[in-house]
Amino acid sequence: GITLPNCGDRLYVKVNGSGDHTGTSWDNALGSISDALSLAQMFNADIWIAEGIYYGDSVSESAFVMVDGVSMYGGFVGNEPADYDLTQRDLDAHVTILDGQHSQRLLYQTNSFTKTTTVDGFIIRNGYSSGTGGGGYFQKKIVLSNCHFMHNRAQQSGGGAYCSGNSSDSVFITHCTFTHNFAGEYGGGLDCGYAKVSDCVFSHDTATSYQKGYGGGLYASYSEVVRCVATHNYCNMQGGGISVSYSTVSQCEITHNKCNNNGGGGYLGSTHNNNDQET
């Protein structure tokens, strides 16, 4: 069983854990992200996760069920001090991977959170959903940053991720990449509503449905899309690179995308655009 630690405001996780596995320090790290999430809910703690590959169980639809107000950070060596500056992480050198083994969605937000919750510094790969959000399913008050969604699949929408906020609590997605993700319907890389998407890259993502294949890289509604790149994406119906409605698109580069029907680069419905380049 899990021993309740005196963990302060942070829990630590390493592959296979270490020490007494209470999560109170790197030397006593938990070996399970799921255990850390369960404990963090009791203590309102954030979770620091060291480099390595992490899997969920073999039976649940989603590998890791998120907790309101519990932020998760990856990209650590596993010896950083408690006052470590998160901006100093080398995310390329110390990769933290959440792997769905082509059978599970990776991250699942069960309801609309009341506290802003951050997911930062992960590769989220090989996720699968028979519905929406192959890599992750997120609702309001979520911040996704410095994450790479790759090789995820959703039979419906949001191959890499599905995000839905509301008019007062947007979803924030920044400095993320979405590559080689697949959706049957909307948003091969990302399907989002009431979101701000900034400084993200969408490449080699696909949305294939003959009726609803919208937004090979990105499908967005009631959202703001800023300084993003969409390249080499594909969809069947509308917007090879991006498809948006009731949204603002600015300072984006949309190149080398393909769609069988409307808008090889982008399909922009009820949308204001500023300073975009499309080829």
Side-chain angles (χ1 to χ4, degrees), residues 52-110:
I53 304 175
Y54 297 85
Y55 306 96
D57 59 39
S58 59
V59 295
S60 301
E61 180 181 358
S62 300
F64 308 112
V65 178
M66 299 177 64
V67 176
D68 192 354
V70 173
S71 294
M72 300 167 56
Y73 300 90
F76 297 98
V77 177
N79 59 10
E80 290 82 357
D83 61 353
Y84 182 72
D85 182 352
L86 291 175
T87 64
Q88 300 303 306
R89 289 171 299 164
D90 187 336
L91 299 177
D92 294 324
H94 305 292
V95 179
T96 305
I97 299 171
L98 309 181
D99 193 314
Q101 304 179 83
H102 305 287
S103 62
Q104 292 175 294
R105 177 194 290 123
L106 273 309
L107 293 165
Y108 182 53
Q109 184 179 353
T110 56

Side-chain angles (χ1 to χ4, degrees), residues 31-193:
S32 164
I33 294 176
S34 294
D35 286 351
L37 286 164
S38 296
L39 281 174
Q41 186 171 21
M42 303 176 195
F43 291 94
N44 196 30
D46 290 337
I47 303 172
W48 285 13
I49 304 171
E51 61 187 336
I53 304 175
Y54 297 85
Y55 306 96
D57 59 39
S58 59
V59 295
S60 301
E61 180 181 358
S62 300
F64 308 112
V65 178
M66 299 177 64
V67 176
D68 192 354
V70 173
S71 294
M72 300 167 56
Y73 300 90
F76 297 98
V77 177
N79 59 10
E80 290 82 357
D83 61 353
Y84 182 72
D85 182 352
L86 291 175
T87 64
Q88 300 303 306
R89 289 171 299 164
D90 187 336
L91 299 177
D92 294 324
H94 305 292
V95 179
T96 305
I97 299 171
L98 309 181
D99 193 314
Q101 304 179 83
H102 305 287
S103 62
Q104 292 175 294
R105 177 194 290 123
L106 273 309
L107 293 165
Y108 182 53
Q109 184 179 353
T110 56
N111 50 41
S112 295
F113 286 175
T114 61
K115 303 173 185 176
T116 299
T117 305
T118 298
V119 176
D120 182 306
F122 298 93
I123 289 178
I124 297 169
R125 74 181 189 191
N126 299 334
Y128 171 79
S129 173
S130 59
T132 57
Y137 180 99
F138 308 99
Q139 300 185 58
K140 70 175 185 177
K141 286 193 175 292
I142 196 78
V143 176
L144 302 178
S145 59
N146 302 308
C147 288
H148 185 180
F149 293 81
M150 59 187 294
H151 298 289
N152 301 290
R153 183 182 185 95
Q155 292 300 105
Q156 295 179 16
S157 300
Y162 173 87
C163 303
S164 179
N166 62 27
S167 57
S168 60
D169 293 289
S170 294
V171 173
F172 293 90
I173 305 166
T174 184
H175 292 96
C176 291
T177 60
F178 297 80
T179 62
H180 297 282
N181 301 289
F182 169 91
E185 298 180 357
Y186 300 92
L190 171 66
D191 178 0
C192 63

Side-chain angles (χ1 to χ4, degrees), residues 187-243:
L190 171 66
D191 178 0
C192 63
Y194 293 103
K196 181 172 183 179
V197 184
S198 64
D199 302 288
C200 291
V201 176
F202 302 86
S203 68
H204 299 90
D205 299 314
T206 303
T208 60
S209 169
Y210 283 98
Q211 281 109 11
K212 300 178 182 178
Y214 289 20
L218 167 68
Y219 179 81
S221 58
Y222 301 96
S223 295
E224 182 180 354
V225 182
V226 184
R227 295 182 304 277
C228 290
V229 174
T231 183
H232 293 93
N233 302 289
Y234 166 82
C235 79
N236 188 62
M237 286 300 296
Q238 293 182 351
I242 66 172
S243 178

